[in-house]
């Protein structure tokens, strides 16, 4: 069965992919510079330290940005699938309610009647119902109503 024509989900990462590639290019440059310095020089100089630090730093930055890009892409795919499932569920519920021949076919949402709601409000105490210095359990003074 062919997949229905749906819009392509948002795929983040054009800018992130640019920075991953840029970090990779810089890492290759630093590593090659370090290789040239090591193969031609006898003593360790400041250039060696700079090339090594740049190589390690840009390599780590490239790895971290690559992992972040992969996580963003997988999160976007999961989010798109979740949205698709929610739309399917709501559409199925809508069509089931429209096609129901009796009211017993569709499960109604639970609701509270007016009396039940007022009873719940009377049982729950609020911060504003207490006088100064009164504890939340109702101990320590009169209650204002």
């Amino acid at each position: 069965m062919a997949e229905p024509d749906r819009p392509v989900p948002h795929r983040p990462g054009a800018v992130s992919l640019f920075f991953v590639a840029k970090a990779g290019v810089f890492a290759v440059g630093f590593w090659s510079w370090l290789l040239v310095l090591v193969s031609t020089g006898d003593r360790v100089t400041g250039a060696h330290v700079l090339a090594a630090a740049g190589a390690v730093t840009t390599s780590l930055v490239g790895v971290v940005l690559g992992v972040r890009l992969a996580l963003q892409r997988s999160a976007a795919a999961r989010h798109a699938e979740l949205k698709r499932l929610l739309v399917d569920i709501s559409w199925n519920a809508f069509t089931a309610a429209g096609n129901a021949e009796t009211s017993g076919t569709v499960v109604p949402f639970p609701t509270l009647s007016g009396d039940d709601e007022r009873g719940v409000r009377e049982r729950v105490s609020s911060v504003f119902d207490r006088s100064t210095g009164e504890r939340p359990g109702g101990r320590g003074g009169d209650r204002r109503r």
Side-chain angles (χ1 to χ4, degrees):
M1 179 176 209
E3 187 72 23
D5 292 332
R6 292 187 179 178
V8 177
H10 172 65
R11 291 281 190 198
V15 174
S16 296
L17 185 61
F18 168 75
F19 284 116
V20 170
K22 187 175 178 181
V25 167
F26 274 91
V28 167
F30 275 116
W31 281 111
S32 57
W33 182 34
L34 181 61
L35 182 65
V36 167
L37 285 175
V38 167
S39 63
T40 60
D42 293 334
R43 293 182 22 229
V44 175
T45 62
H48 288 84
V49 174
L50 180 63
V56 170
T57 302
T58 54
S59 296
L60 289 176
V61 166
V63 168
V64 168
L65 289 177
V67 168
R68 182 177 175 263
L69 174 64
L71 290 174
Q72 280 181 340
R73 285 189 175 250
S74 67
R78 284 193 316 268
H79 181 72
E81 184 63 28
L82 180 65
K83 285 192 334 185
R84 191 175 299 120
L85 285 173
L86 286 174
V87 167
D88 289 343
I89 289 169
S90 64
W91 179 252
N92 288 336
F94 174 74
T95 56
N99 294 335
E101 297 186 13
T102 63
S103 63
T105 307
V106 178
V107 178
F109 287 106
T111 58
L112 291 175
S113 66
D115 295 333
D116 291 339
E117 188 175 326
R118 185 173 50 234
V120 169
R121 284 188 185 156
E122 289 175 358
R123 285 179 286 193
V124 175
S125 66
S126 172
V127 174
F128 301 112
D129 291 342
R130 293 182 230 127
S131 61
T132 306
E134 183 180 344
R135 293 184 173 247
R139 293 176 245 144
D142 299 76
R143 270 200 167 153
R144 289 186 282 154
R145 292 263 177 200

